[in-house]
Every structure is written in structure tokens, then in C-alpha cells.
Coordinates of all heavy atoms in Angstrom, one line a residue:
M1 N -4.2 16.2 -10.5 CA -3.6 14.8 -10.2 C -2.6 14.4 -11.3 O -2.7 14.7 -12.5 CB -4.7 13.7 -10.3 CG -4.3 12.4 -9.9 SD -5.6 11.1 -9.7 CE -6.5 11.8 -8.2
K2 N -1.4 14.0 -10.8 CA -0.3 13.7 -11.7 C -0.7 12.4 -12.5 O -1.3 11.6 -12.0 CB 0.9 13.5 -11.0 CG 1.5 14.8 -10.2 CD 2.9 14.6 -9.7 CE 3.3 15.8 -9.0 NZ 4.6 15.6 -8.4
I3 N -0.2 12.4 -13.7 CA -0.6 11.4 -14.7 C 0.1 10.0 -14.2 O -0.5 8.9 -14.5 CB -0.1 11.8 -16.1 CG1 -0.8 10.9 -17.1 CG2 1.4 11.7 -16.2 CD1 -0.7 11.4 -18.5
N4 N 1.2 10.1 -13.6 CA 1.8 8.7 -13.2 C 1.3 8.2 -11.9 O 1.6 7.2 -11.5 CB 3.3 8.8 -13.1 CG 3.7 10.0 -12.0 OD1 2.9 10.6 -11.6 ND2 5.0 10.0 -11.7
T5 N 0.3 8.9 -11.2 CA -0.3 8.4 -10.0 C -1.7 7.9 -10.2 O -2.4 7.3 -9.4 CB -0.4 9.5 -8.8 OG1 -1.1 10.6 -9.4 CG2 1.0 9.9 -8.5
I6 N -2.3 8.2 -11.5 CA -3.6 7.6 -11.7 C -3.7 6.2 -12.0 O -4.5 5.6 -11.3 CB -4.1 8.4 -13.1 CG1 -4.3 10.0 -12.8 CG2 -5.5 7.8 -13.5 CD1 -4.6 10.7 -13.9
L7 N -2.8 5.6 -12.8 CA -2.8 4.1 -13.0 C -1.8 3.5 -12.0 O -0.6 3.9 -12.0 CB -2.2 3.8 -14.4 CG -3.0 4.4 -15.6 CD1 -2.3 4.0 -16.9 CD2 -4.4 3.7 -15.5
I8 N -2.3 2.6 -11.1 CA -1.6 2.0 -10.1 C -0.8 0.7 -10.7 O 0.4 0.7 -10.6 CB -2.5 1.7 -8.9 CG1 -2.9 3.0 -8.4 CG2 -1.6 0.9 -7.9 CD1 -4.0 2.8 -7.2
A9 N -1.7 -0.2 -11.2 CA -1.0 -1.4 -11.7 C -2.0 -2.0 -12.7 O -3.3 -1.9 -12.5 CB -0.8 -2.3 -10.6
P10 N -1.5 -2.9 -13.6 CA -2.3 -3.8 -14.5 C -2.9 -4.8 -13.7 O -2.2 -5.4 -12.8 CB -1.6 -4.0 -15.7 CG -0.2 -4.1 -15.1 CD -0.1 -3.0 -14.1
V11 N -4.2 -5.2 -13.9 CA -4.7 -6.5 -13.3 C -4.4 -7.8 -14.1 O -4.8 -7.7 -15.3 CB -6.2 -6.4 -13.1 CG1 -6.8 -7.5 -12.4 CG2 -6.5 -5.1 -12.2
L12 N -3.6 -8.7 -13.7 CA -3.2 -9.9 -14.3 C -4.0 -11.1 -13.9 O -3.4 -12.0 -13.3 CB -1.7 -10.0 -14.3 CG -0.9 -8.9 -15.0 CD1 0.6 -9.0 -14.7 CD2 -1.3 -8.9 -16.5
T13 N -5.2 -11.2 -14.1 CA -5.9 -12.3 -13.7 C -6.4 -13.1 -15.0 O -6.0 -12.6 -16.1 CB -7.3 -12.0 -12.9 OG1 -8.1 -11.2 -13.8 CG2 -7.0 -11.2 -11.7
E14 N -6.9 -14.3 -14.8 CA -7.3 -15.1 -16.0 C -8.4 -14.3 -16.7 O -8.3 -14.3 -17.9 CB -7.7 -16.5 -15.4 CG -8.0 -17.4 -16.6 CD -8.5 -18.8 -16.1 OE1 -8.4 -19.0 -14.9 OE2 -8.9 -19.6 -16.9
K15 N -9.3 -13.8 -16.1 CA -10.3 -13.0 -16.8 C -9.8 -11.8 -17.5 O -10.2 -11.5 -18.6 CB -11.5 -12.5 -15.7 CG -12.7 -12.0 -16.3 CD -13.6 -11.7 -15.2 CE -14.9 -11.2 -15.6 NZ -16.0 -11.0 -14.6
A16 N -8.9 -11.1 -16.9 CA -8.4 -10.0 -17.5 C -7.5 -10.2 -18.7 O -7.5 -9.6 -19.7 CB -7.5 -9.1 -16.5
T17 N -6.7 -11.4 -18.7 CA -5.9 -11.7 -19.8 C -6.7 -12.4 -21.1 O -6.5 -12.1 -22.1 CB -4.9 -12.7 -19.5 OG1 -5.6 -13.8 -18.8 CG2 -3.9 -12.3 -18.6
T18 N -8.0 -12.9 -20.6 CA -8.8 -13.2 -21.6 C -9.5 -12.1 -22.4 O -9.7 -12.1 -23.6 CB -9.9 -14.2 -21.2 OG1 -9.3 -15.4 -20.4 CG2 -10.8 -14.7 -22.2
A19 N -9.8 -11.1 -21.6 CA -10.5 -10.0 -22.1 C -9.5 -9.0 -23.0 O -9.8 -8.4 -23.9 CB -11.0 -9.0 -21.0
A20 N -8.2 -9.3 -22.6 CA -7.0 -8.4 -23.3 C -7.0 -8.9 -24.7 O -6.5 -8.2 -25.6 CB -5.7 -8.8 -22.6
Q21 N -7.4 -10.2 -25.1 CA -7.5 -10.6 -26.4 C -8.5 -9.8 -27.3 O -8.4 -9.7 -28.5 CB -7.7 -12.1 -26.5 CG -6.6 -13.0 -26.0 CD -7.0 -14.5 -25.9 OE1 -8.3 -14.8 -26.1 NE2 -6.0 -15.2 -25.6
K22 N -9.5 -9.4 -26.6 CA -10.5 -8.5 -27.3 C -10.2 -7.1 -27.1 O -11.2 -6.2 -27.3 CB -11.9 -8.8 -26.7 CG -12.2 -10.4 -27.0 CD -13.6 -10.6 -26.1 CE -13.8 -12.1 -26.2 NZ -14.8 -12.5 -25.3
K23 N -9.0 -6.6 -26.9 CA -8.6 -5.3 -26.6 C -9.4 -4.5 -25.5 O -9.6 -3.4 -25.6 CB -8.8 -4.4 -27.9 CG -7.8 -5.0 -29.0 CD -7.8 -4.0 -30.2 CE -6.8 -4.3 -31.2 NZ -6.6 -3.3 -32.2
V24 N -9.6 -5.3 -24.4 CA -10.1 -4.7 -23.2 C -9.1 -4.9 -22.1 O -8.9 -6.1 -21.7 CB -11.5 -5.2 -22.9 CG1 -12.0 -4.7 -21.6 CG2 -12.5 -5.1 -23.9
Y25 N -8.5 -3.9 -21.6 CA -7.4 -4.0 -20.6 C -7.9 -3.5 -19.2 O -8.6 -2.6 -19.2 CB -6.2 -3.2 -21.0 CG -5.7 -3.7 -22.5 CD1 -6.1 -3.0 -23.6 CD2 -4.9 -4.8 -22.5 CE1 -5.6 -3.5 -24.8 CE2 -4.4 -5.2 -23.8 CZ -4.8 -4.6 -24.9 OH -4.4 -5.1 -26.1
T26 N -7.6 -4.2 -18.2 CA -8.0 -3.8 -16.9 C -6.8 -3.3 -16.1 O -5.8 -3.8 -16.0 CB -8.5 -5.1 -16.2 OG1 -9.6 -5.7 -17.0 CG2 -9.1 -4.7 -14.8
F27 N -7.1 -2.2 -15.4 CA -6.1 -1.5 -14.6 C -6.7 -1.2 -13.2 O -7.9 -0.9 -13.1 CB -5.6 -0.1 -15.2 CG -4.9 -0.3 -16.4 CD1 -5.5 -0.2 -17.7 CD2 -3.6 -0.6 -16.5 CE1 -4.8 -0.3 -18.9 CE2 -2.8 -0.8 -17.7 CZ -3.5 -0.5 -18.8
E28 N -5.9 -1.2 -12.2 CA -6.2 -0.7 -11.0 C -5.8 0.9 -11.0 O -4.7 1.1 -11.3 CB -5.6 -1.3 -9.7 CG -6.0 -0.9 -8.4 CD -5.3 -1.7 -7.3 OE1 -4.6 -2.7 -7.5 OE2 -5.5 -1.2 -6.2
V29 N -6.8 1.7 -10.5 CA -6.6 3.1 -10.7 C -6.8 3.7 -9.3 O -7.4 3.1 -8.3 CB -7.5 3.8 -11.7 CG1 -7.2 3.3 -13.2 CG2 -9.0 3.4 -11.4
D30 N -6.4 5.0 -9.3 CA -6.6 5.8 -8.0 C -8.0 6.0 -7.8 O -8.9 6.3 -8.6 CB -5.8 7.1 -8.2 CG -5.9 7.9 -6.9 OD1 -5.4 7.4 -5.8 OD2 -6.3 9.1 -6.8
K31 N -8.5 6.0 -6.5 CA -9.9 6.2 -6.2 C -10.6 7.6 -6.5 O -11.7 7.6 -6.8 CB -10.1 5.9 -4.6 CG -9.8 4.6 -4.3 CD -10.0 4.4 -2.7 CE -9.3 3.2 -2.2 NZ -9.1 3.1 -0.7
Q32 N -9.8 8.6 -6.6 CA -10.2 9.8 -6.8 C -10.2 10.2 -8.4 O -10.7 11.2 -8.8 CB -9.4 11.0 -6.1 CG -9.8 11.0 -4.6 CD -9.1 10.0 -3.9 OE1 -8.1 9.5 -4.1 NE2 -9.8 9.6 -2.8
S33 N -9.7 9.3 -9.1 CA -9.6 9.6 -10.5 C -11.0 9.4 -11.4 O -11.7 8.5 -10.9 CB -8.5 8.7 -11.2 OG -8.9 7.4 -11.2
N34 N -11.2 10.0 -12.4 CA -12.4 10.0 -13.1 C -12.0 9.5 -14.5 O -10.9 9.2 -14.8 CB -13.2 11.3 -13.2 CG -12.4 12.4 -13.8 OD1 -11.5 12.1 -14.6 ND2 -12.7 13.5 -13.5
K35 N -13.1 9.2 -15.3 CA -12.9 8.6 -16.6 C -12.0 9.4 -17.7 O -11.2 8.8 -18.3 CB -14.3 8.4 -17.2 CG -15.0 7.1 -16.6 CD -16.2 6.8 -17.5 CE -17.0 5.7 -16.8 NZ -18.2 5.3 -17.7
N36 N -12.2 10.7 -17.6 CA -11.3 11.7 -18.4 C -10.0 11.5 -18.0 O -9.0 11.4 -19.0 CB -11.9 12.9 -18.4 CG -13.2 13.2 -19.0 OD1 -13.5 12.4 -19.9 ND2 -14.0 14.1 -18.5
Q37 N -9.5 11.5 -16.8 CA -8.2 11.4 -16.4 C -7.6 10.0 -16.7 O -6.4 9.9 -17.1 CB -8.1 11.5 -14.9 CG -8.4 13.1 -14.4 CD -8.5 13.2 -12.9 OE1 -8.8 12.2 -12.2 NE2 -8.4 14.5 -12.5
I38 N -8.4 8.9 -16.5 CA -7.9 7.6 -16.8 C -7.7 7.4 -18.4 O -6.6 7.0 -18.8 CB -8.9 6.6 -16.4 CG1 -9.1 6.5 -14.8 CG2 -8.5 5.1 -16.9 CD1 -10.1 5.8 -14.4
K39 N -8.5 8.0 -19.1 CA -8.3 8.0 -20.6 C -7.0 8.8 -21.1 O -6.3 8.2 -21.8 CB -9.5 8.6 -21.3 CG -9.3 8.7 -22.8 CD -10.7 9.3 -23.5 CE -10.5 9.4 -24.9 NZ -11.7 10.0 -25.5
H40 N -6.9 9.9 -20.5 CA -5.6 10.8 -20.9 C -4.5 10.0 -20.3 O -3.3 10.1 -21.1 CB -5.7 12.2 -20.1 CG -4.7 13.0 -20.4 ND1 -4.4 13.4 -21.7 CD2 -3.7 13.4 -19.7 CE1 -3.2 14.2 -21.7 NE2 -2.7 14.1 -20.4
A41 N -4.4 9.4 -19.2 CA -3.2 8.7 -18.7 C -2.9 7.5 -19.5 O -1.8 7.3 -19.9 CB -3.4 8.2 -17.3
V42 N -3.9 6.6 -20.0 CA -3.6 5.4 -20.7 C -3.1 5.8 -22.1 O -2.2 5.2 -22.8 CB -4.9 4.7 -20.9 CG1 -4.7 3.6 -21.9 CG2 -5.3 4.0 -19.6
E43 N -3.8 6.9 -22.8 CA -3.3 7.4 -24.0 C -1.8 8.0 -24.1 O -1.1 7.8 -25.1 CB -4.3 8.4 -24.6 CG -5.6 7.8 -25.1 CD -6.6 8.8 -25.6 OE1 -6.4 10.0 -25.4 OE2 -7.6 8.4 -26.2
T44 N -1.5 8.7 -23.1 CA -0.2 9.2 -23.0 C 0.9 8.2 -22.6 O 1.9 8.2 -23.3 CB -0.3 10.3 -21.8 OG1 -1.3 11.3 -22.2 CG2 1.1 11.1 -21.8
I45 N 0.7 7.3 -21.7 CA 1.6 6.4 -21.3 C 1.8 5.4 -22.3 O 3.0 4.9 -22.6 CB 1.2 5.8 -20.0 CG1 1.3 6.9 -18.8 CG2 2.3 4.6 -19.7 CD1 1.0 6.4 -17.4
Y46 N 0.8 4.7 -22.8 CA 0.9 3.6 -23.7 C 0.8 3.9 -25.3 O 1.0 3.1 -26.1 CB -0.2 2.5 -23.4 CG 0.1 2.0 -22.1 CD1 -0.8 2.3 -20.9 CD2 1.1 1.1 -21.8 CE1 -0.6 1.7 -19.7 CE2 1.4 0.6 -20.4 CZ 0.4 1.0 -19.5 OH 0.6 0.4 -18.2
G47 N 0.5 5.2 -25.6 CA 0.4 5.6 -26.9 C -0.7 4.8 -27.8 O -0.4 4.5 -28.9
V48 N -1.9 4.7 -27.1 CA -3.0 4.0 -27.9 C -4.2 5.0 -27.9 O -4.1 6.0 -27.2 CB -3.4 2.8 -27.2 CG1 -2.3 1.6 -27.2 CG2 -3.8 2.9 -25.7
K49 N -5.2 4.7 -28.6 CA -6.5 5.4 -28.7 C -7.5 4.6 -27.9 O -7.8 3.4 -28.1 CB -7.0 5.6 -30.2 CG -6.1 6.5 -31.0 CD -6.3 7.9 -30.4 CE -5.5 8.9 -31.4 NZ -5.7 10.2 -30.9
V50 N -8.1 5.3 -27.1 CA -9.1 4.6 -26.2 C -10.5 4.8 -26.6 O -10.9 6.0 -27.1 CB -9.1 5.3 -24.7 CG1 -10.2 4.7 -23.9 CG2 -7.6 5.0 -24.1
A51 N -11.3 3.7 -26.9 CA -12.7 3.7 -27.3 C -13.6 4.0 -26.1 O -14.5 4.9 -26.3 CB -13.0 2.5 -28.0
S52 N -13.5 3.3 -25.1 CA -14.4 3.5 -23.9 C -13.8 3.0 -22.6 O -12.8 2.2 -22.6 CB -15.7 2.7 -24.1 OG -15.5 1.3 -24.2
I53 N -14.4 3.4 -21.5 CA -13.9 3.1 -20.2 C -15.1 2.7 -19.3 O -16.1 3.4 -19.3 CB -13.0 4.2 -19.6 CG1 -11.8 4.5 -20.4 CG2 -12.7 3.9 -18.2 CD1 -11.1 5.6 -19.8
R54 N -14.9 1.6 -18.5 CA -15.9 1.1 -17.5 C -15.2 1.2 -16.2 O -14.0 0.6 -16.2 CB -16.5 -0.2 -17.8 CG -17.4 -0.2 -19.1 CD -17.8 -1.6 -19.5 NE -16.7 -2.3 -19.7 CZ -16.7 -3.6 -20.1 NH1 -17.8 -4.3 -20.1 NH2 -15.6 -4.3 -20.3
V55 N -15.9 1.6 -15.2 CA -15.2 1.8 -13.9 C -16.0 0.9 -12.9 O -17.2 1.1 -12.8 CB -15.1 3.2 -13.5 CG1 -14.5 3.4 -12.1 CG2 -14.2 4.0 -14.5
V56 N -15.2 0.2 -12.0 CA -15.9 -0.6 -11.0 C -15.2 -0.4 -9.7 O -13.9 -0.3 -9.7 CB -15.8 -2.1 -11.4 CG1 -16.4 -3.0 -10.2 CG2 -16.6 -2.3 -12.6
I57 N -16.0 -0.2 -8.6 CA -15.3 -0.1 -7.3 C -15.4 -1.5 -6.5 O -16.6 -1.9 -6.3 CB -16.0 1.0 -6.4 CG1 -15.7 2.3 -7.2 CG2 -15.4 1.0 -5.0 CD1 -16.3 3.5 -6.6
R58 N -14.4 -2.0 -6.3 CA -14.3 -3.3 -5.7 C -14.2 -3.2 -4.2 O -13.3 -2.5 -3.6 CB -13.1 -4.2 -6.2 CG -13.1 -5.5 -5.6 CD -11.7 -6.2 -5.8 NE -11.6 -6.6 -7.2 CZ -10.5 -7.0 -7.7 NH1 -9.3 -7.1 -7.0 NH2 -10.4 -7.2 -9.0
K59 N -15.2 -3.6 -3.5 CA -15.3 -3.3 -2.0 C -14.3 -4.3 -1.3 O -14.1 -5.5 -1.7 CB -16.7 -3.7 -1.5 CG -17.8 -2.9 -2.1 CD -17.6 -1.5 -1.6 CE -18.7 -0.5 -2.2 NZ -18.5 0.9 -1.9
G60 N -13.7 -3.8 -0.2 CA -12.7 -4.6 0.5 C -13.4 -5.6 1.4 O -14.5 -5.4 1.9
K61 N -12.7 -6.8 1.5 CA -13.3 -7.9 2.3 C -13.1 -7.6 3.8 O -12.2 -7.0 4.2 CB -12.7 -9.3 2.0 CG -13.1 -9.6 0.5 CD -12.4 -11.1 0.3 CE -12.8 -11.5 -1.1 NZ -12.2 -12.8 -1.4
I62 N -14.0 -8.2 4.6 CA -13.7 -8.2 6.1 C -13.1 -9.5 6.5 O -13.7 -10.5 6.2 CB -15.1 -8.0 6.8 CG1 -15.7 -6.7 6.4 CG2 -15.0 -8.1 8.3 CD1 -17.1 -6.3 7.0
K63 N -12.0 -9.3 7.1 CA -11.2 -10.5 7.6 C -11.1 -10.5 9.2 O -10.9 -9.3 9.7 CB -9.8 -10.7 7.1 CG -10.0 -10.8 5.5 CD -8.6 -11.0 4.9 CE -8.8 -11.3 3.3 NZ -7.5 -11.8 2.8
R64 N -10.9 -11.7 9.8 CA -10.9 -11.6 11.3 C -9.3 -12.0 11.4 O -8.8 -13.0 10.9 CB -11.7 -12.7 11.8 CG -13.1 -12.3 11.6 CD -14.1 -13.4 12.0 NE -13.9 -13.8 13.4 CZ -14.7 -13.4 14.4 NH1 -15.9 -12.8 14.1 NH2 -14.5 -13.7 15.8
V65 N -8.7 -11.2 12.4 CA -7.2 -11.2 12.4 C -6.8 -11.2 13.9 O -7.6 -10.6 14.7 CB -6.5 -10.1 11.7 CG1 -6.6 -10.3 10.2 CG2 -6.8 -8.8 12.1
G66 N -5.8 -11.6 14.3 CA -5.2 -11.4 15.7 C -5.7 -12.6 16.6 O -6.4 -13.4 16.3
K67 N -5.2 -12.3 17.8 CA -5.5 -13.4 18.9 C -7.1 -13.3 19.3 O -7.6 -14.4 19.5 CB -4.7 -13.1 20.1 CG -4.8 -14.1 21.2 CD -3.8 -13.8 22.3 CE -4.0 -14.8 23.4 NZ -3.1 -14.5 24.6
K68 N -7.6 -12.2 19.2 CA -9.0 -11.9 19.7 C -9.8 -12.0 18.4 O -11.1 -11.8 18.6 CB -9.1 -10.7 20.4 CG -8.4 -10.6 21.6 CD -8.6 -9.2 22.4 CE -7.9 -9.2 23.6 NZ -8.1 -8.0 24.4
M69 N -9.3 -12.3 17.2 CA -10.1 -12.4 16.1 C -11.0 -11.2 15.8 O -12.2 -11.3 15.5 CB -10.9 -13.7 16.1 CG -10.1 -15.0 16.1 SD -8.9 -15.1 14.7 CE -10.0 -15.6 13.5
T70 N -10.4 -10.1 15.9 CA -11.1 -8.9 15.6 C -11.3 -8.7 14.1 O -10.4 -9.1 13.3 CB -10.5 -7.5 16.2 OG1 -9.2 -7.5 15.7 CG2 -10.5 -7.7 17.7
A71 N -12.4 -8.0 13.7 CA -12.9 -7.9 12.3 C -12.1 -6.7 11.8 O -12.1 -5.5 12.4 CB -14.2 -7.8 12.0
K72 N -11.3 -6.8 10.7 CA -10.6 -5.7 9.9 C -11.0 -5.8 8.6 O -11.2 -6.7 7.9 CB -9.1 -5.9 9.9 CG -8.5 -5.9 11.3 CD -8.3 -4.5 11.8 CE -7.6 -4.6 13.3 NZ -7.4 -3.3 13.8
K73 N -11.4 -4.5 8.1 CA -11.8 -4.4 6.6 C -10.6 -4.0 5.8 O -9.8 -3.1 6.0 CB -12.9 -3.3 6.5 CG -13.5 -3.3 5.2 CD -14.5 -2.1 5.2 CE -15.3 -2.0 3.9 NZ -14.3 -1.4 2.9
A74 N -10.5 -4.7 4.7 CA -9.4 -4.4 3.7 C -9.9 -3.2 3.0 O -11.1 -2.8 2.9 CB -9.2 -5.6 2.7
T75 N -9.0 -2.4 2.3 CA -9.3 -1.1 1.6 C -10.0 -1.4 0.2 O -9.9 -2.5 -0.3 CB -8.0 -0.3 1.2 OG1 -7.2 -1.2 0.6 CG2 -7.4 0.1 2.7
D76 N -10.9 -0.6 0.0 CA -11.6 -0.6 -1.3 C -10.6 -0.3 -2.4 O -9.7 0.4 -2.3 CB -12.8 0.3 -1.4 CG -13.8 0.0 -0.3 OD1 -14.0 -1.1 0.1 OD2 -14.6 0.9 -0.1
S77 N -10.8 -1.0 -3.6 CA -10.1 -0.4 -4.8 C -11.0 -0.2 -6.0 O -12.0 -0.7 -6.1 CB -9.1 -1.7 -5.1 OG -9.8 -2.9 -5.5
K78 N -10.4 0.5 -6.9 CA -11.2 1.0 -8.1 C -10.5 0.4 -9.3 O -9.2 0.5 -9.5 CB -11.1 2.5 -8.2 CG -12.0 3.1 -9.2 CD -12.0 4.7 -9.1 CE -13.1 5.2 -9.9 NZ -13.1 6.7 -9.8
L79 N -11.3 -0.3 -10.2 CA -10.7 -0.9 -11.4 C -11.3 -0.2 -12.6 O -12.5 0.2 -12.5 CB -11.1 -2.5 -11.4 CG -10.6 -3.3 -10.3 CD1 -11.1 -4.7 -10.4 CD2 -9.2 -3.2 -10.2
A80 N -10.5 0.0 -13.7 CA -11.0 0.6 -14.9 C -10.7 -0.5 -16.0 O -9.6 -0.9 -16.3 CB -10.3 1.8 -15.2
M81 N -11.9 -0.7 -16.8 CA -11.7 -1.6 -18.0 C -11.6 -0.7 -19.2 O -12.6 -0.1 -19.5 CB -12.9 -2.6 -18.1 CG -12.8 -3.9 -17.1 SD -13.0 -3.6 -15.5 CE -14.7 -3.5 -15.3
V82 N -10.5 -0.7 -19.8 CA -10.2 0.3 -20.9 C -10.4 -0.6 -22.2 O -9.6 -1.5 -22.5 CB -8.9 0.9 -20.8 CG1 -8.7 1.8 -21.9 CG2 -8.8 1.6 -19.3
T83 N -11.2 0.0 -23.1 CA -11.3 -0.7 -24.5 C -10.5 0.3 -25.4 O -10.8 1.3 -25.6 CB -12.9 -0.7 -24.9 OG1 -13.6 -1.4 -24.0 CG2 -12.9 -1.4 -26.3
V84 N -9.6 -0.4 -26.2 CA -8.7 0.2 -27.0 C -9.2 0.1 -28.4 O -9.5 -1.0 -28.9 CB -7.2 -0.2 -26.9 CG1 -6.4 0.3 -27.9 CG2 -6.8 -0.1 -25.5
K85 N -9.3 1.2 -29.3 CA -9.6 1.0 -30.6 C -8.4 1.1 -31.5 O -8.5 0.4 -32.6 CB -10.7 2.1 -31.0 CG -10.2 3.6 -31.1 CD -11.2 4.4 -31.7 CE -11.3 5.7 -30.8 NZ -12.2 6.7 -31.3
E86 N -7.3 1.7 -31.2 CA -6.1 1.5 -32.1 C -4.9 1.2 -31.2 O -4.7 1.9 -30.1 CB -5.9 2.8 -32.8 CG -6.9 3.2 -33.8 CD -6.5 4.5 -34.5 OE1 -5.5 5.1 -34.3 OE2 -7.5 5.1 -35.2
G87 N -4.0 0.3 -31.5 CA -2.8 0.0 -30.8 C -3.1 -1.1 -29.8 O -4.2 -1.7 -29.7
V88 N -2.0 -1.7 -29.3 CA -2.0 -2.7 -28.4 C -1.2 -2.4 -27.2 O 0.0 -1.9 -27.3 CB -1.3 -4.1 -29.1 CG1 -1.3 -5.2 -28.2 CG2 -2.2 -4.4 -30.3
I89 N -1.6 -2.8 -26.0 CA -0.7 -2.8 -24.8 C 0.0 -4.0 -24.5 O -0.8 -5.1 -24.3 CB -1.7 -2.2 -23.6 CG1 -2.3 -0.9 -23.8 CG2 -0.9 -2.2 -22.3 CD1 -3.3 -0.4 -22.9
S90 N 1.2 -4.1 -24.4 CA 2.0 -5.2 -24.5 C 2.2 -5.7 -23.0 O 3.2 -6.6 -23.0 CB 3.2 -5.1 -25.2 OG 4.1 -4.3 -24.7
L91 N 1.7 -5.3 -22.0 CA 1.9 -5.8 -20.7 C 1.3 -7.1 -20.3 O 1.7 -7.9 -19.5 CB 1.4 -4.8 -19.6 CG 2.1 -3.4 -19.4 CD1 1.3 -2.6 -18.5 CD2 3.6 -3.8 -18.9
F92 N 0.4 -7.5 -21.2 CA -0.5 -8.6 -20.9 C 0.1 -9.7 -21.7 O 0.3 -9.7 -22.8 CB -2.0 -8.4 -21.2 CG -2.5 -7.3 -20.3 CD1 -2.4 -5.9 -20.7 CD2 -3.1 -7.7 -19.1 CE1 -2.9 -5.0 -20.0 CE2 -3.6 -6.7 -18.3 CZ -3.5 -5.4 -18.8
P93 N 0.1 -11.0 -21.1 CA 0.7 -12.2 -21.8 C -0.3 -12.6 -22.8 O -1.6 -12.6 -22.7 CB 0.8 -13.2 -20.8 CG 0.0 -12.8 -19.6 CD -0.1 -11.3 -19.7
Q94 N 0.3 -13.1 -24.0 CA -0.6 -13.5 -25.1 C -0.8 -15.0 -25.0 O 0.2 -15.9 -24.7 CB 0.2 -13.3 -26.5 CG 0.5 -11.8 -26.7 CD -0.9 -11.0 -26.8 OE1 -1.8 -11.5 -27.4 NE2 -0.7 -9.7 -26.4
V95 N -2.1 -15.4 -25.1 CA -2.5 -16.9 -24.8 C -2.6 -17.4 -26.3 O -3.0 -16.9 -27.2 CB -3.8 -16.9 -24.1 CG1 -4.2 -18.3 -24.0 CG2 -3.6 -16.2 -22.7

């Protein structure tokens, strides 16, 4: 898997920005990636040392759409909470 396809986007929610003050950064990652690939991608792209990684699979919600209100399921997403021991990732706003 290519290194630039592993990390999709940083998660910029209130909970994620609060955790970023404690050096825990949240990223949306590819569903097939594992912890070793995520660690290598973060260390290479941002130039930091990773202490630990926690991975969560967020299930997609079921929504009713259309004239007949048929149920459609949104896609699942995979989130990685990366704890950094050295360095800072500057994508997140400082509070």
C-alpha cells in the first residue's frame, strides 16, 4: 500500500482538538491499513515519533432517502488515534 493512500484526512472535531493538546492526534485512515503501516506513514509524512496507536472502526449510519424512503447505509470508516512522543503535528488548531 502506498504511503500517501494510508492517511485520508485528519479529524477536526471538538473532541479531537482537545485530545491534540495531550499529543493524541486523530486521523481517518484506509480500511485495509494496519497499525504498522499507519505508524510508518505518520512518522514519514510529519517527521514525529509515534508512541502508540489505537484503531476504531466507525460503523456507517442507516439513512432513509428518496421518494419511497428506502434505507441506504453510509460506508464504514476507520479512525486511528495516534499518540506522539516526540514532535508536534501542526494541522490542528491550538486552543
Side-chain angles (χ1 to χ4, degrees):
M1 185 175 286
K2 292 185 179 180
I3 198 165
N4 59 351
T5 61
I6 294 172
L7 298 177
I8 297 172
V11 177
L12 295 174
T13 60
E14 185 175 353
K15 187 175 183 179
T17 53
T18 304
Q21 294 174 351
K22 299 173 186 168
K23 293 191 174 188
V24 178
Y25 302 99
T26 307
F27 294 96
E28 185 177 352
V29 296
D30 188 57
K31 291 179 201 166
Q32 283 79 32
S33 61
N34 58 28
K35 288 185 179 183
N36 291 329
Q37 292 171 337
I38 296 168
K39 178 181 177 181
H40 180 66
V42 171
E43 287 179 346
T44 304
I45 293 172
Y46 296 108
V48 295
K49 291 288 182 181
V50 174
S52 66
I53 296 176
R54 293 175 299 179
V55 178
V56 174
I57 296 175
R58 183 190 291 168
K59 300 293 182 183
K61 294 182 179 182
I62 297 175
K63 295 188 176 186
R64 298 175 60 106
V65 296
K67 184 177 181 181
K68 296 182 180 181
M69 298 301 287
T70 56
K72 297 283 182 176
K73 184 178 180 293
T75 59
D76 298 341
S77 62
K78 189 174 192 178
L79 300 177
M81 280 72 79
V82 179
T83 305
V84 176
K85 69 177 136 171
E86 291 181 16
V88 177
I89 299 174
S90 64
L91 288 176
F92 298 90
Q94 299 296 324
V95 177

